[in-house]
C-alpha cells in the first residue's frame, strides 16, 4: 500500500518531528514525510530533516498570508496529502486551515480544552492540576481547538517546575504523535462534528490516581 505523504511544519527544536521521522523509518509505518517546512531558518528541526535525507525548506514569514501561500505551494509540489504541525509557533492563515481542513493536525502539550495557547505547562502548574498531558487534534481556525484524535496523561509531581513537567509531557508526545498519525493513515478516523470516532481500538484499562490511592 502507498504510504500517506505528510508535510510537517516546525519552528524550532523538532523533537516531535524526530519522533515522526523515527516512526516512518520503519517501512511498515503507513506514512512518510514528504517535506519539512520551517518559518525559522535556524530551526534545529531542519538539521534533523537533513540528517534523515528528507526534503526541507525554510520559508520567510512576513505575514501569515504570504507564508501560507508559499507553504501551500511547496506542500502541493511535494505531493503531501496531509499536514502535521509540530511545534509550529505561528498563527496559521485561515485560508490555509480551510484548504487543508480535516487533513491538518497539531500536537499541544496539555489535555485540551484545558490550557490552550502559549506556556501550557506553566498554565497547568499555576492551576494546580494533578494530571497533565498532551493532545493531538485536527486544526480549526481558533487556536488549539478542533476534534481531538488522541491524548496522553502524565502525573504532575509536587516538586515539578515547568521544565520537568514539560519533559515528562514531551516524552508522551513523542509516543502519541506517531500513534495518532498512524490511525489517520490507516483510515481509522472519522470526524463527526466536534468528535473523532476511531475504528478498531481496544478500550484502555486502569485509572491514574495522583496522589496514589495507597
Ligand atoms: C511541543 O511541546 C509541542 O506540543 C508544542 O511545541 C513543542 C514543540 O517541541 N506544540 P519540538 O519542536 O517538537 O521539540
Amino acid at each position: 500500500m502507498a504510504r500517506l505523504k505528510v508535510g510537517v511544519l516546525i519552528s524550532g527544536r523538532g523533537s516531535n518531528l524526530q519522533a515522526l521521522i523515527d516512526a516512518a523509518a520503519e517501512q511498515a509505518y503507513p506514512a512518510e514525510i514528504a517535506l519539512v517546512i520551517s518559518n525559522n531558518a535556524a530551526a534545529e528541526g531542519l538539521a534533523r530533516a537533513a540528517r534523515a535525507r528528507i526534503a526541507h525548506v525554510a520559508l520567510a514569514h512576513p505575514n501569515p498570508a504570504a507564508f501560507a501561500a508559499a507553504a501551500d505551494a511547496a506542500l502541493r509540489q511535494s505531493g503531501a496529502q496531509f499536514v502535521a504541525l509540530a511545534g509550529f509557533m505561528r498563527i496559521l492563515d485561515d485560508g490555509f486551515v480551510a484548504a487543508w481542513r480535516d487533513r491538518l493536525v497539531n500536537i499541544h502539550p496539555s489535555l485540551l480544552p484545558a490550557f490552550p495557547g502559549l506556556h501550557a505547562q506553566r498554565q497547568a502548574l499555576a492551576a494546580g492540576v494533578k494530571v497533565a498531558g498532551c493532545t493531538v487534534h485536527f486544526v480549526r481556525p481558533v487556536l488549539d481547538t478542533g476534534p481531538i484524535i488522541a491524548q496522553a496523561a502524565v502525573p504532575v509531581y509536587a516538586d515539578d517546575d515547568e521544565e520537568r513537567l514539560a519533559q515528562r509531557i514531551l516524552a508522551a508526545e513523542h509516543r502519541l504523535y506517531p500513534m495518532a498519525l498512524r490511525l489517520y493513515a490507516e483510515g481509522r478516523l472519522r470526524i463527526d462534528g466536534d468528535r473523532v470516532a476511531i475504528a478498531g481500538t481496544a478500550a484502555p484499562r486502569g485509572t491514574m490516581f495522583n496522589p496514589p490511592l495507597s
Side-chain angles (χ1 to χ4, degrees):
M1 261 259 292
R3 306 212 287 170
L4 179 76
K5 289 188 183 344
V6 178
V8 183
L9 267 58
I10 63 166
S11 295
R13 180 177 55 186
S15 70
N16 278 291
L17 166 65
Q18 188 69 54
L20 296 177
I21 290 174
D22 292 347
E26 195 71 54
Q27 266 311 309
Y29 191 75
E32 64 187 328
I33 300 174
L35 178 65
V36 174
I37 298 177
S38 175
N39 65 295
N40 162 20
E44 194 185 332
L46 288 173
R48 296 179 189 271
R51 277 201 295 279
R53 300 181 196 283
I54 292 169
H56 53 282
V57 61
L59 297 177
H61 195 294
N63 59 68
F67 177 85
D72 191 77
L75 286 164
R76 290 181 196 283
Q77 203 180 11
S78 76
Q81 303 156 288
F82 185 86
V83 177
L85 307 180
F88 181 70
M89 300 304 289
R90 296 296 174 98
I91 300 291
L92 268 180
D93 179 71
D94 280 353
F96 185 95
V97 173
W100 290 90
R101 189 182 168 95
D102 297 348
R103 296 182 299 145
L104 173 62
V105 296
N106 179 46
I107 188 160
H108 182 76
S110 78
L111 293 171
L112 290 173
F115 316 133
L118 288 176
H119 309 300
Q121 305 92 339
R122 193 184 302 173
Q123 294 183 54
L125 286 175
V129 296
K130 304 296 188 211
V131 175
C134 48
T135 303
V136 177
H137 63 97
F138 287 104
V139 172
R140 294 292 181 258
V142 177
L143 183 69
D144 297 329
T145 68
I148 289 171
I149 300 168
Q151 294 184 305
V154 302
V156 179
Y157 299 147
D159 58 350
D160 271 348
D161 59 15
E162 195 178 341
E163 177 58 26
R164 254 167 57 97
L165 178 59
Q167 281 303 325
R168 193 172 312 120
I169 294 171
L170 196 63
E173 292 183 43
H174 296 162
R175 299 168 67 194
L176 187 73
Y177 216 173
M179 180 266 273
L181 178 59
R182 169 192 288 278
L183 291 174
Y184 179 87
E186 290 176 345
R188 291 163 61 188
L189 304 182
R190 189 171 45 81
I191 302 175
D192 182 10
D194 290 337
R195 301 169 57 141
V196 176
I198 305 175
T201 47
R205 298 191 177 281
T207 305
M208 187 207 298
F209 293 89
N210 184 24
L213 280 179
S214 55

